[in-house]
Amino acid sequence: MNILKVKDRQELDKRVPTMPWYVEKFINYKLPDLSPSSLLEYVRDYETFFSWLLAEGLAQGSSVKEVPIEALEKLHMESIDNFRMFLSTRTENTNSKTTISRKLSSLRSLFHYLSQIAEDEEFYPLLKRNVMAKVEIKRTHKPKDTAAKLEGKLLQEEEIHEFIAYVHRGYEQDVANNKQALYSYHQNKVRDACIVTLILNSGLRVSEVVNLNVDDIDLKKKLTHVYRKGKNDDTFKTPVYFRQEAMDDLTAYLELRQTQYKAPKREKALFLAIANGKKEGERMTKRAIQAMIIKYAKYFGKPYLSVHKLRHSFATDYYLRNDLYKTQEQLGHASPETTQIYAHLTDKTMAEAIDFRKAQD
């Protein structure tokens, strides 16, 4: 069972009844094809949009749920442009261009369904006029642009080994005068080092790490079995190989998992944490793993590192030794175009390596 997907499905089931009837109809239509996580993002985007419509007087109702479908038919292009401007200038949480494009894309999917697929009892479209069909959504996630943003923010070659070594030993010296940090480190350093080493030697996503169970690990074959992003089949896990370098840390952690975290027999999660006030370990959360990586990265001198940048670091290193399609398969990318960011990153890395050799000659 994909733990994160189950939680997102529960949250989706809670939020959908607060949406207008036609949104609920759309979500039910999409549910067999899209993951609960993706649909939950849709619902959040619609909540933002409908709340804005009410605030601007473009729709009548006492709540989001009461926004009539007729209000969508009366929207002008100017209204959509104003909403785009609203998203780009929200002071409490300014959206990136990529986020704005995603929110507009969510709206376009809803409007397309209502105007082209859904019908009323007389076989007419539910939405008679689709303003979103006129909206151009520019592609903002080009591999070259993504590579440029990541440049200089990843671990390269020896830095990968240095960061792993830092989690093993170096951090202890930097927090020697902080009793609370030192105690937490001694309690969790084997687990933390295992997580860092596994990501840097497999390229797993944080969601995949969170969902790992003990029986997903095959030390003999050096692989894990994970639920891949975008796949809705909860009965099938994809095998993902990890490098030999991760073996020692995985073995060390598995040896103390039961005793260190007092895991009950019913708890199948690989990575555990004991929450405050509790006596037994339970599955680590996505937020806990992210915070753990950021903690070590800050003291290591690379505060911009994150779980996802560790994945990128592995991918860049892996791509240098393999080809595009092997890297795509290892990372679980749906399209080779996504994997192309590592081609741009490695071009820079290889150029720097050549310059370095020339300087030595």
Side-chain angles (χ1 to χ4, degrees):
M1 186 193 311
N2 188 320
I3 302 301
L4 294 182
K5 190 176 289 187
V6 169
K7 289 183 178 179
D8 284 344
R9 178 58 193 265
Q10 291 171 345
E11 182 65 20
L12 181 67
D13 290 342
K14 188 187 302 182
R15 282 176 176 260
V16 166
T18 68
M19 291 285 107
W21 63 269
Y22 48 88
V23 172
E24 185 169 359
K25 191 176 181 70
F26 170 71
I27 296 298
N28 289 334
Y29 171 76
K30 284 289 188 180
L31 199 53
D33 301 318
L34 292 179
S35 71
S37 304
S38 297
L39 291 173
L40 184 57
E41 287 300 316
Y42 273 36
V43 169
R44 287 169 176 155
D45 292 341
Y46 299 151
E47 186 175 351
T48 300
F49 179 65
F50 291 134
S51 296
W52 179 81
L53 288 180
L54 291 170
E56 293 294 310
L58 296 172
Q60 302 299 315
S62 58
S63 67
V64 163
K65 186 177 179 65
E66 295 182 9
V67 173
I69 194 169
E70 291 78 15
L72 306 186
E73 292 178 336
K74 297 176 182 178
L75 292 174
H76 294 281
M77 273 297 297
E78 183 182 1
S79 301
I80 304 303
D81 289 338
N82 289 338
F83 179 62
R84 193 198 302 260
M85 183 66 69
F86 163 74
L87 292 175
S88 65
T89 57
R90 292 175 71 185
T91 54
E92 74 276 11
N93 185 22
T94 302
N95 294 286
S96 67
K97 289 182 180 180
T98 302
T99 302
I100 292 172
S101 292
R102 195 209 72 231
K103 290 179 181 295
L104 292 176
S105 182
S106 296
L107 285 177
R108 191 158 65 176
S109 294
L110 173 64
F111 278 60
H112 174 78
Y113 166 76
L114 295 175
S115 64
Q116 300 296 321
I117 299 173
E119 301 174 333
D120 62 18
E121 293 179 355
E122 301 297 325
F123 307 107
Y124 288 105
L126 291 181
L127 192 69
K128 308 301 187 291
R129 177 178 168 275
N130 179 5
V131 69
M132 289 303 299
K134 303 177 182 180
V135 177
E136 181 182 359
I137 301 177
K138 296 181 179 178
R139 180 179 173 82
T140 59
H141 198 68
K142 295 180 180 178
K144 190 173 182 179
D145 296 337
T146 303
K149 290 180 180 179
L150 291 172
E151 192 174 306
K153 295 182 179 179
L154 305 181
L155 299 172
Q156 295 182 1
E157 299 181 61
E158 287 305 312
E159 285 183 326
I160 291 177
H161 302 292
E162 290 170 3
F163 185 60
I164 292 172
Y166 182 78
V167 177
H168 273 291
R169 296 177 294 276
Y171 178 79
E172 183 173 14
Q173 299 174 5
D174 288 339
V175 297
N177 296 324
N178 186 331
K179 291 184 179 179
Q180 185 175 354
L182 202 59
Y183 174 79
S184 176
Y185 174 67
H186 287 155
Q187 289 292 107
N188 299 304
K189 68 177 180 179
V190 176
R191 179 202 67 189
D192 294 354
C194 183
I195 293 173
V196 169
T197 305
L198 182 60
I199 296 172
L200 283 172
N201 284 284
S202 67
L204 290 177
R205 299 178 175 91
V206 64
S207 59
E208 293 165 351
V209 174
V210 169
N211 278 310
L212 280 175
N213 291 332
V214 174
D215 56 8
D216 290 330
I217 303 295
D218 189 330
L219 293 177
K220 290 183 179 179
K221 294 182 179 179
K222 291 187 295 185
L223 59 80
T224 65
H225 293 89
V226 302
Y227 293 109
R228 276 303 194 190
K229 180 181 177 182
K231 293 187 177 180
N232 290 328
D233 187 356
D234 279 351
T235 63
F236 178 76
K237 290 186 176 183
T238 303
V240 178
Y241 288 89
F242 54 82
R243 289 170 171 166
Q244 178 66 34
E245 287 89 332
M247 284 288 290
D248 289 344
D249 284 334
L250 273 167
T251 302
Y253 172 69
L254 286 170
E255 287 177 353
L256 61 76
R257 172 188 172 276
Q258 185 68 37
T259 55
Q260 182 79 6
Y261 295 96
K262 302 177 178 61
K265 290 184 178 180
R266 66 180 181 279
E267 182 56 79
K268 305 299 182 183
L270 176 62
F271 293 114
L272 305 172
I274 300 178
N276 290 334
K278 294 191 177 181
K279 297 180 180 180
E280 295 180 332
E282 54 189 29
R283 188 181 299 271
M284 283 189 79
T285 64
K286 180 178 177 180
R287 182 176 295 181
I289 292 177
Q290 290 171 328
M292 181 265 288
I293 298 297
I294 291 171
K295 175 185 71 175
Y296 288 117
K298 179 181 177 181
Y299 279 93
F300 184 67
K302 292 186 178 291
Y304 43 76
L305 277 180
S306 62
V307 180
H308 205 59
K309 287 188 175 68
L310 293 189
R311 171 174 155 86
H312 283 313
S313 297
F314 163 82
T316 305
D317 185 67
Y318 187 87
Y319 182 79
L320 279 168
R321 306 161 195 247
N322 296 278
D323 59 30
L324 180 72
Y325 296 101
K326 284 184 180 178
T327 307
Q328 178 190 351
E329 184 177 359
Q330 178 69 24
L331 296 176
H333 288 159
S335 166
E337 187 175 2
T338 307
T339 318
Q340 285 176 359
I341 65 172
Y342 306 113
H344 296 289
L345 281 167
T346 52
D347 282 347
K348 178 78 173 178
T349 302
M350 293 176 76
E352 290 174 347
I354 290 171
D355 289 337
F356 179 72
R357 291 191 188 100
K358 285 181 178 179
Q360 286 186 320
D361 291 341

